[in-house]
């Protein structure tokens, strides 16, 4: 993807995101038609589905040769990353959307031949857009984000992680993670993976850990963080695979390896 193509797709996608955000705000107080998916806490609403279809219809119209990976089932089933792929989460943080009407985002990452080219994370209620074009800087609205602080220490870090790390689980010995929590300065759980990653790129949070996430949860955030020097992959330090659900670790480069070592200590 050359610079001109990247710019054209970026401008088009940005306009669609603002349009979709307006539609969500206009209709969010109507009956949401809430359903569950994999478990009672895995929610989906009519607006999740309508918003994804909004993007898919437009991509098919304007970029019929592009591929789509979407949370709500309107995309493609892919086995390789050739070509241009849009990875879409229409409402990331649906539980927040349903219960709190805030702290949720539209998240879109665009890859070309496996390389992250464009990313958007739109905090719908805050009207804050995090956006990136590869090699041209990452931004919060019109403010360019600085490279991440490479002098950050783990003891000074704010880390996003939820309570599942501190309960019995299949991946990591939870007493080790309790020790980890005591080591860092503080932990947070915002309920939206894409916003957690946006906060890392902004420098107001330093890492994010998750036991199991899908590509649409993290694609845009990984592209955003790579632009400012962040490191992304799974909790064992392996590279991110945009076609697979996996554990996730995105972090400031100064503390990434320290977190990997902590997790390695607790691996079962």
């Amino acid at each position: 993807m050359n610079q001109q193509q990247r710019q054209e797709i970026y401008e088009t996608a940005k306009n669609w995101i603002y349009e979709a955000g307006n539609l969500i705000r206009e209709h969010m107080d109507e009956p949401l038609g809430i359903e569950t998916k994999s478990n009672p806490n895995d929610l989906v609403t009519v607006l999740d589905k309508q918003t994804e279809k909004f993007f898919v219809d437009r991509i098919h119209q304007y970029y019929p040769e592009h591929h789509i990976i979407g949370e709500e089932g309107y995309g493609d089933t892919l086995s390789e990353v050739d070509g241009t792929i849009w990875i879409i989460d229409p409402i990331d943080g649906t539980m927040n959307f349903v219960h709190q009407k805030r702290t949720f985002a539209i998240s879109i990452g665009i890859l070309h031949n496996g390389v992250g080219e464009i990313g958007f994370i739109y905090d719908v209620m805050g009207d804050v857009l995090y956006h990136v074009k590869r090699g041209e800087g990452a931004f919060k609205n019109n403010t360019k984000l600085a490279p991440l602080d490479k002098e950050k220490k783990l003891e000074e870090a704010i880390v996003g992680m939820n309570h599942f790390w501190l309960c019995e689980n299949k991946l990591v010995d939870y007493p080790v993670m309790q020790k980890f929590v005591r080591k860092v300065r503080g932990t947070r759980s915002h309920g939206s993976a894409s916003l957690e990653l946006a906060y890392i790129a902004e420098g107001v949070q330093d890492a994010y850990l998750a036991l199991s996430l899908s590509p649409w949860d993290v694609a845009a955030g990984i592209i955003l963080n790579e632009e400012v020097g962040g490191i992304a992959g799974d909790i064992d330090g392996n590279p991110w695979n945009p076609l697979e659900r996996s554990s996730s670790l995105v972090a400031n480069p100064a503390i990434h390896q320290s977190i990997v070592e902590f997790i390695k200590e607790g691996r079962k």
Side-chain angles (χ1 to χ4, degrees):
M1 181 182 294
N2 62 41
Q3 187 175 15
Q4 182 178 349
Q5 291 171 323
R6 186 163 53 241
Q7 181 66 25
E8 192 276 328
I9 294 170
Y10 164 87
E11 292 293 345
T12 301
K14 183 170 71 170
N15 290 335
W16 291 345
I17 284 171
Y18 281 129
E19 186 178 351
N22 286 332
L23 291 172
I24 291 171
R25 287 188 292 265
E26 288 174 7
H27 296 286
M28 65 188 298
D29 292 322
E30 299 172 2
L32 294 176
I34 302 166
E35 302 173 5
T36 60
K37 295 188 288 187
S38 62
N39 63 68
N41 296 323
D42 186 8
L43 306 180
V44 61
T45 72
V46 169
L47 272 176
D48 288 84
K49 297 177 180 179
Q50 290 177 346
T51 304
E52 181 164 303
K53 192 171 188 303
F54 168 91
F55 287 111
V56 169
D57 287 348
R58 281 154 182 77
I59 295 165
H60 284 162
Q61 179 181 355
Y62 287 87
Y63 306 108
E65 73 279 10
H66 291 187
H67 304 295
I68 302 165
I69 297 174
E71 179 171 15
E72 308 308 338
Y74 293 101
D76 306 307
T77 300
L78 302 179
S79 59
E80 54 188 21
V81 293
D82 294 344
T84 301
I85 303 173
W86 298 58
I87 305 181
I88 301 171
D89 195 335
I91 299 180
D92 178 52
T94 300
M95 189 180 295
N96 290 350
F97 171 64
V98 169
H99 288 275
Q100 300 169 331
K101 305 298 185 185
R102 61 180 183 270
T103 320
F104 62 90
I106 298 171
S107 178
I108 297 179
I110 303 175
L111 282 65
H112 184 72
N113 293 336
V115 176
E117 295 281 354
I118 298 167
F120 296 98
I121 298 170
Y122 183 46
D123 179 344
V124 175
M125 302 310 292
D127 190 25
V128 175
L129 181 66
Y130 297 88
H131 51 107
V132 59
K133 288 176 287 181
R134 183 175 63 86
E136 300 182 43
F139 294 80
K140 177 184 179 181
N141 290 333
N142 295 321
T143 302
K144 189 172 184 178
L145 301 180
L148 295 180
D149 177 10
K150 294 184 179 180
E151 302 301 319
K152 178 71 66 173
K153 298 178 181 178
L154 192 60
E155 293 85 350
E156 302 169 340
I158 301 294
V159 178
M161 56 188 294
N162 61 33
H163 69 280
F164 293 112
W165 288 97
L166 307 180
C167 303
E168 187 171 357
N169 63 74
K170 296 179 180 179
L171 287 181
V172 182
D173 188 18
Y174 63 90
V176 172
M177 298 312 295
Q178 291 172 344
K179 183 170 71 171
F180 173 77
V181 168
R182 290 192 292 269
K183 177 77 170 178
V184 302
R185 176 163 286 172
T187 62
R188 299 291 185 269
S189 181
H190 296 284
S192 166
S194 62
L195 287 175
E196 301 261 16
L197 300 191
Y199 300 154
I200 298 171
E202 187 180 354
V204 299
Q205 186 166 300
D206 303 297
Y208 178 62
L209 285 162
L211 290 170
S212 181
L213 291 179
S214 296
W216 46 79
D217 296 312
V218 297
I222 287 175
I223 298 167
L224 191 74
N225 274 276
E226 287 178 340
E227 188 70 13
V228 294
I231 298 176
D234 66 17
I235 61 174
D236 296 312
N238 301 311
W240 175 60
N241 185 331
L243 300 180
E244 292 183 359
R245 185 177 182 89
S246 67
S247 63
S248 185
L249 167 59
V250 180
N252 180 303
I255 63 171
H256 179 269
Q257 189 57 36
S258 296
I259 298 174
V260 170
E261 292 301 323
F262 247 106
I263 293 171
K264 187 182 297 184
E265 180 184 344
R267 285 295 255 162
K268 296 180 178 180

